[in-house]
Amino acid sequence: MINYMNKKNIVWFEEVGKEDVGIVGGKGANLGEMTTAHLPIPYGFVVTAHAYFTFIEEAKLSQKISDLLSIVNYDNTDELEKVSGAIRKLIIEAPMPKKLAEQIVEYYEDLQAKEQLYLHRKIHPIQKSIAKIKAVYDPPLVAVRSSATAEDLPTASFAGQQETYLNVKGETQLLKKVKECWASLFTERAVYYRHTQGFDHFKVGLAAVVQRMVQSTASGIAFSIDPVTNNKTKIVIEAIFGLGEYIVQGKVTPDHYEVDKRSIIILEKQLKYQNLKYVRHGTGNMEVKLNKKEGSLQKISDEQIMKLTMLVKDIENHYYFPQDIEWAIEHNNVFIVQSRPITTVDNKAGAGSSLQSHTTALPILSGSPASPGIGVGPAKIIFSPHEIDKIEKGDILVAPQTNPDYVPAMKKACAIVTEKGGRTSHAAIVSRELGIPAVVGAENATKILKNGETYSIDGASGEVFAGSILIGKAKVVEEEKPALKTVTKVYVNVAEPEQAARVAKTANDGIGLLRAEFMIAEIGVHPKEFIHQKKEQLFTNRLKRDLLTFVKAFTPRQIVYRATDFKSNEYSHLVGGKKYEPHEENPMLGFRGASRYLANEDVFGLELEAIKAVWAEGYRNLHLMIPFVRTPWELIKIKEIIAKHELDTLQGFKLWIMVEVPSCALNIEEYIKIGIDGVSIGTNDLTMMLLGVDRDSEKVANVYDERSPVVVNVLEHVVKTCAKYGVTCSICGQAASDYPELVEKLVRAGITSVSVAPDAVDRTRELIYSIEKKMNP
């Protein structure tokens, strides 16, 4: 598709996808991808980067722009501003090539008709239908948004604000706004950013998205994980009345809703007073003031919150990555305006730090937690970007709100406090990317806080304290707090080698679940393709390298490696995968786990050889766990394969099985008699199959609960049976992190360990300590 698209000036959304960022930009590519996935996207088209380059060439602007950039002193703000302004003026005043202008107008005139045809999938000849609908043509209102071809770089939030023009009507206004989008590529921020990052100004293109305007009664941002804590079990939604510009700018403080991703239960609602909204007025926009009663209402209904939550889940599932989503509601219909990857996943500098446990002092100010961590320093209050020079390294930046012009000052600050905005505002997003503690929506912060006075900012709790209460207190508390010791071991669940060193430093007893899938996915090629090309050693060496990363970091603590549990639909995404993987209607219950190892012994052998190679280097803490065992004879056969690779001769080597299939759980005694060293209960799959519930289906999510009596009874049966035979027994599903009451039942039943997410280690240890203390006072 790329070669064809590179030559086009304009494309409809459904003609592009995520692979076309280079020609339609990140925004355009995502809108095309979601349109093709039949998500509710306001329809539109993209004026491509090719059109931008054509315009620059035909208007003969390259040399003029180059001449201006050649004389600028990038470190002189005034000089950079003048040159930037001159370049933007050149672009805006240059005539649009006639052919290109005619193409844009033609697409604009066809927009309403094309949208109806696309949405309803009419079978009539398209041109005939368009002509018929054009008979009642009225120029549509559209939103015009810039979409830079480099905007999804990791640090692109600092490249400059992406332009958005709302309620644009008529061909003259449209052509003008497209050129203004192009001109935004040369704001002083964008020019300075490309210069400092070494980007060629003439190789970065810009597309313009033209999209049917949604006249939203409410709008906002949704995150498919908690953007502050990275909690993947929650969806966070923030909402305001009117058009969405004010939520991104942080001009108003939005309502804040948190929803359980699995059950779609609303966990928390924080209603905020919104003093004004931004709405359409004629062919333009206007600001409307809201009284206390109007502005304090819940911005969207509970039903709309749940509708939006289900859409967010669908989008995250489509992209296989946490998403930051812009949405709008018009006539009770929810529309998705944009979606992009969350750029701060696992960027949690200081996330574990909080002043709450270190002080009895009361905060003098509170708002919404926006970026975790603690910052202590003098406050500097500024009211506009023209004052950013007042901020020095180590200051606390205090402002009514921020926009991209504040970024240079934000980089110097030790913490940020704003009066307006929510966790999805500019201040919040940039603070998280920079790893700077931030509190937003702290009303009257510019009046309560005093210039030059020292304050302590707790970004995790959203609180501001007077003075340097962190200094001399946190360390004392940490030194006096004894390390808790428990009989029941607390392991961690991990997957990414890059996280090994960091997670190894937490107070865990080892790894109870080392997932193979991430490492295999990073290799990127189906194992059978390596075998086909006779390059098995390459695969084994890559896997061995990643395993050693964990082994070295955790030695001498135990590591239980779960052999690959990819399902056929997941394996097919690897290079060569479609050639080797069957199509299955229900991969969750299909060709996976132990059954796959028996059918593809050669692939399983590659994993066994990688483990053997780690042991050959002298390490003795890596062990093997077999997932999704359905029958005792499967375990017998698997042990025979392990013996062929001589792992059973390694002194101290242990073989575990995952207990996640009901037949295995209810018949666990037979598996123990065949010979295993350990059992780990996978509560996610086991609960799904015991209750007959698809855990990924929102339609029956309310039925899925690991605390159901039948599930608890089976869990206790497995634990007690293992205890009877002296076999190690653990639990590694989500339930171990989520439900303290279930953990207590299993500890009392004799479970020997639990395996949890890294951020749950400390609280799980404290929970088990208190349980064991009650059991043995």
Side-chain angles (χ1 to χ4, degrees):
M1 188 186 295
I2 292 293
N3 290 336
Y4 166 66
M5 288 301 166
N6 276 342
K7 302 301 181 183
K8 292 199 73 173
N9 286 328
I10 310 174
V11 290
W12 296 108
F13 281 174
E14 71 271 19
E15 294 183 89
V16 293
K18 59 188 176 185
E19 71 276 12
D20 296 318
V21 172
I23 192 67
V24 295
K27 203 176 267 100
N30 279 334
L31 287 169
E33 181 79 12
M34 290 188 291
T35 298
T36 306
H38 308 305
L39 291 161
I41 309 299
Y43 195 64
F45 58 89
V46 185
V47 182
T48 68
H50 179 262
Y52 162 75
F53 289 125
T54 298
F55 165 74
I56 293 293
E57 181 182 351
E58 293 195 17
K60 296 180 171 54
L61 294 179
S62 295
Q63 191 58 51
K64 295 175 183 177
I65 294 172
S66 182
D67 290 344
L68 285 167
L69 292 172
S70 68
I71 60 171
V72 69
N73 177 358
Y74 287 93
D75 295 319
N76 186 315
T77 307
D78 292 337
E79 196 175 315
L80 183 60
E81 185 178 353
K82 287 176 183 176
V83 167
S84 167
I87 295 173
R88 294 201 305 276
K89 186 178 179 185
L90 278 175
I91 293 172
I92 292 168
E93 293 182 352
M96 177 86 73
K98 184 180 178 183
K99 183 179 177 182
L100 177 57
E102 288 173 351
Q103 286 179 316
I104 294 173
V105 170
E106 182 181 354
Y107 271 71
Y108 175 61
E109 289 176 347
D110 289 348
L111 177 60
Q112 289 171 304
K114 185 73 164 62
E115 178 178 30
Q116 290 182 43
L117 291 168
Y118 181 75
L119 294 179
H120 297 107
R121 307 293 194 275
K122 294 188 177 180
I123 59 174
H124 307 293
I126 187 166
Q127 295 304 328
K128 181 178 177 181
S129 299
I130 287 176
K132 184 177 178 181
I133 297 171
K134 274 188 180 179
V136 288
Y137 174 73
D138 179 44
L141 287 161
V142 294
V144 183
R145 295 182 168 91
S146 61
S147 181
T149 57
E151 70 179 4
D152 60 346
L153 290 168
T155 53
S157 295
F158 316 129
Q161 187 174 10
Q162 299 299 309
E163 292 299 329
T164 298
Y165 303 101
L166 305 178
N167 286 311
V168 177
K169 185 170 185 176
E171 58 191 54
T172 302
Q173 280 298 306
L174 174 59
L175 294 174
K176 179 185 176 187
K177 295 306 178 187
V178 168
K179 285 202 292 182
E180 286 179 14
C181 277
W182 289 341
S184 71
L185 201 54
F186 289 93
T187 62
E188 51 265 38
R189 288 191 308 276
V191 170
Y192 181 77
Y193 173 80
R194 288 196 297 273
H195 170 72
T196 56
Q197 298 297 317
F199 293 139
D200 186 331
H201 294 288
F202 298 99
K203 288 186 178 177
V204 176
L206 188 139
V209 170
V210 180
Q211 191 172 21
R212 183 182 70 76
M213 186 69 207
V214 175
Q215 301 302 337
S216 48
T217 53
S219 53
I221 310 288
F223 286 98
S224 65
I225 64 173
D226 189 316
V228 178
T229 65
N230 283 347
N231 183 335
K232 294 179 174 61
T233 66
K234 288 194 299 186
I235 285 173
V236 173
I237 299 169
E238 298 205 323
I240 62 171
F241 289 132
L243 300 174
E245 292 306 284
Y246 281 7
I247 191 170
V248 178
Q249 294 173 12
K251 199 165 185 178
V252 296
T253 301
D255 279 5
H256 179 85
Y257 317 121
E258 296 184 5
V259 187
D260 180 79
K261 189 182 289 185
R262 187 190 302 165
S263 65
I264 321 294
I265 293 171
I266 299 172
L267 304 173
E268 183 179 348
K269 291 193 290 189
Q270 297 175 15
L271 307 189
K272 301 291 184 179
Y273 169 51
Q274 182 179 338
N275 63 334
L276 47 87
K277 64 179 179 179
Y278 195 50
V279 295
R280 175 190 171 191
H281 180 65
T283 57
N285 309 295
M286 67 178 291
E287 190 173 274
V288 176
K289 291 186 178 179
L290 300 174
N291 61 39
K292 194 77 175 177
K293 183 179 179 181
E294 293 171 324
S296 300
L297 293 172
Q298 182 171 322
K299 308 307 181 293
I300 58 176
S301 68
D302 287 3
E303 181 185 355
Q304 289 169 331
I305 292 172
M306 289 187 280
K307 276 185 184 176
L308 185 55
T309 297
M310 288 186 279
L311 274 174
V312 170
K313 285 182 66 175
D314 287 344
I315 294 170
E316 183 183 60
N317 289 338
H318 178 79
Y319 283 104
Y320 296 101
F321 197 83
Q323 296 290 301
D324 167 0
I325 296 160
E326 296 177 28
W327 57 269
I329 294 177
E330 177 186 60
H331 305 310
N332 201 35
N333 294 316
V334 180
F335 292 92
I336 302 302
V337 181
Q338 175 61 303
S339 182
R340 53 190 163 264
I342 294 177
T343 57
T344 55
V345 176
D346 292 331
N347 181 16
K348 297 193 285 185
S353 302
S354 174
L355 293 178
Q356 290 175 318
S357 60
H358 299 322
T359 180
T360 57
L362 295 175
I364 60 168
L365 183 66
S366 62
S368 295
S371 180
I374 296 169
V376 179
K380 289 288 178 67
I381 302 170
I382 60 176
F383 294 90
S384 82
H386 299 296
E387 299 180 272
I388 64 173
D389 290 340
K390 293 180 180 178
I391 305 296
E392 297 176 0
K393 191 169 181 61
D395 286 343
I396 296 172
L397 190 162
V398 182
Q401 65 202 60
T402 70
N403 62 41
D405 291 319
Y406 284 77
V407 169
M410 296 171 79
K411 288 181 176 180
K412 292 190 282 186
C414 72
I416 293 163
V417 179
T418 66
E419 292 183 313
K420 301 288 180 73
R423 300 177 208 196
T424 53
S425 65
H426 176 269
I429 292 169
V430 173
S431 296
R432 288 194 292 272
E433 290 183 351
L434 292 171
I436 297 171
V439 175
V440 298
E443 292 184 21
N444 298 315
T446 59
K447 296 175 182 175
I448 295 172
L449 305 182
K450 306 300 179 187
N451 261 319
E453 293 289 322
T454 297
Y455 299 96
S456 297
I457 310 300
D458 189 342
S461 68
E463 295 173 322
V464 180
F465 299 83
S468 302
I469 65 170
L470 172 64
I471 298 172
K473 287 199 173 188
K475 290 182 180 177
V476 172
V477 174
E478 287 169 4
E479 287 168 4
E480 292 176 351
K481 187 176 180 179
L484 299 178
K485 295 186 182 299
T486 57
V487 175
T488 309
K489 295 187 182 299
V490 179
Y491 295 131
V492 287
N493 303 332
V494 291
E496 301 176 43
E498 291 79 7
Q499 300 297 321
R502 179 181 64 81
V503 176
K505 293 175 183 176
T506 62
N508 63 75
D509 295 309
I511 299 177
L513 173 61
L514 174 54
R515 297 184 178 94
E517 293 76 44
F518 183 87
M519 291 179 278
I520 305 296
E522 283 294 292
I523 294 172
V525 178
H526 196 288
K528 275 194 170 292
E529 188 66 19
F530 281 99
I531 294 169
H532 175 70
Q533 296 182 19
K534 302 191 184 305
K535 295 180 178 178
E536 298 95 325
Q537 198 60 44
L538 282 177
F539 180 91
T540 303
N541 288 343
R542 276 291 302 274
L543 183 57
K544 170 195 166 187
R545 184 194 69 188
D546 287 344
L547 290 173
L548 279 171
T549 302
F550 290 102
V551 168
K552 290 176 181 178
F554 279 83
T555 293
R557 289 171 289 177
Q558 173 175 275
I559 295 174
V560 181
Y561 168 77
R562 184 183 70 185
T564 314
D565 195 24
F566 267 141
K567 292 165 273 298
S568 55
N569 61 322
E570 295 166 336
Y571 251 133
S572 65
H573 288 301
L574 299 177
V575 174
K578 287 184 169 51
K579 186 164 44 172
Y580 302 107
E581 292 301 321
H583 171 73
E584 295 184 289
E585 293 300 328
N586 191 354
M588 186 76 78
L589 297 179
F591 189 41
R592 62 180 289 200
S595 296
R596 182 178 281 273
Y597 310 148
L598 298 181
N600 294 335
E601 186 177 330
D602 51 354
V603 174
F604 184 43
L606 298 182
E607 290 186 81
L608 298 180
E609 286 301 311
I611 295 170
K612 188 176 174 182
V614 171
W615 276 70
E617 294 205 9
Y619 296 99
R620 297 291 179 266
N621 59 328
L622 179 63
H623 308 287
L624 175 65
M625 179 158 65
I626 307 299
F628 221 78
V629 182
R630 294 177 170 103
T631 65
W633 66 261
E634 283 183 322
L635 178 59
I636 293 169
K637 291 286 186 183
I638 289 224
K639 290 190 70 174
E640 289 174 1
I641 297 172
I642 291 171
K644 285 182 189 176
H645 291 265
E646 300 179 335
L647 267 70
D648 61 331
T649 65
L650 301 175
Q651 190 172 356
F653 176 78
K654 296 175 184 175
L655 175 65
W656 289 42
I657 63 168
M658 284 277 286
V659 174
E660 47 202 331
V661 180
S663 61
C664 181
L666 296 172
N667 199 26
I668 187 62
E669 193 166 6
E670 289 301 311
Y671 294 86
I672 292 173
K673 288 177 180 177
I674 290 169
I676 52 175
D677 300 296
V679 159
S680 185
I681 306 171
T683 54
N684 299 346
D685 280 350
L686 182 60
T687 302
M688 178 181 72
M689 285 182 277
L690 282 170
L691 299 181
V693 174
D694 180 355
R695 59 189 168 101
D696 293 325
S697 171
E698 65 275 4
K699 301 295 184 184
V700 290
N702 60 315
V703 181
Y704 183 93
D705 194 329
E706 296 96 326
R707 296 165 296 180
S708 298
V710 66
V711 178
V712 174
N713 288 343
V714 171
L715 294 179
E716 289 183 321
H717 166 70
V718 173
V719 172
K720 289 176 180 177
T721 304
C722 288
K724 173 184 172 183
Y725 286 93
V727 171
T728 297
C729 185
S730 187
I731 179 174
C732 63
Q734 189 64 34
S737 301
D738 290 351
Y739 303 126
E741 66 273 29
L742 181 58
V743 173
E744 179 163 359
K745 285 188 177 183
L746 297 181
V747 169
R748 290 183 179 278
I751 202 164
T752 55
S753 65
V754 299
S755 194
V756 297
D759 60 0
V761 167
D762 289 341
R763 69 172 183 268
T764 304
R765 178 82 71 185
E766 289 171 5
L767 170 66
I768 292 174
Y769 179 81
S770 66
I771 294 168
E772 291 181 350
K773 194 172 181 181
K774 283 190 287 184
M775 291 170 60
N776 302 289

